[in-house]
Amino acid sequence: MGMNSVTNIGRNGIQDWLIQRVSAYVLAFYTLFLLGFFVTTDVDYQSWSALFDQTWFKIFTLLALLSIGAHAWVGLWTVSTDYIKSAMQRFLFQAACILVIFVYVVWGIQIIWGL
């Protein structure tokens, strides 16, 4: 039986696996879109600002931001449960990861939506 923990994002390994795969696809599509945008557009402040003025792109960026947070968390949780054997050290590491991911997601939302 695998390790169960209140810090695990999914209820089981299948959910964690699915979160990793779906978030990876979202991040891949977002990256490919941005690469295409940079290749096909003379990027300056005006074109970049126009892209981010569109609601669909703000939502796409928010989805990418949430995906990177979820992807990072599942990966860090997996690595920490595999390699940090002390329960207290693992908890402190995971708590620090949660705090950093939370701060980055909230900060990203503020940037995207201009809050």
Side-chain angles (χ1 to χ4, degrees):
M1 223 200 226
M3 175 177 269
N4 290 329
S5 172
V6 295
T7 57
N8 192 358
I9 198 170
R11 285 178 273 169
N12 58 50
I14 298 292
Q15 288 176 336
D16 289 344
W17 181 88
L18 191 60
I19 289 166
Q20 283 293 89
R21 296 320 171 268
V22 170
S23 64
Y25 277 112
V26 169
L27 293 170
F29 290 139
Y30 190 78
T31 301
L32 290 173
F33 176 84
L34 285 179
L35 285 172
F37 180 77
F38 285 122
V39 168
T40 61
T41 307
D42 183 25
V43 180
D44 58 7
Y45 176 80
Q46 190 173 12
S47 63
W48 188 248
S49 182
L51 178 63
F52 272 92
D53 282 342
Q54 299 182 48
T55 302
W56 71 267
F57 190 71
K58 286 182 180 182
I59 292 169
F60 190 23
T61 301
L62 177 62
L63 184 60
L65 179 64
L66 295 174
S67 292
I68 203 164
H71 193 91
W73 173 245
V74 171
L76 289 167
W77 182 89
T78 302
V79 169
S80 67
T81 55
D82 285 349
Y83 294 105
I84 302 175
K85 298 305 178 191
S86 165
M88 182 54 75
Q89 287 177 341
R90 184 173 52 249
F91 173 77
L92 292 173
F93 174 80
Q94 291 174 351
C97 290
I98 289 170
L99 179 63
V100 169
I101 291 169
F102 177 77
V103 167
Y104 282 151
V105 167
V106 169
W107 190 19
I109 290 169
Q110 289 176 331
I111 292 167
I112 295 165
W113 295 100
L115 301 175

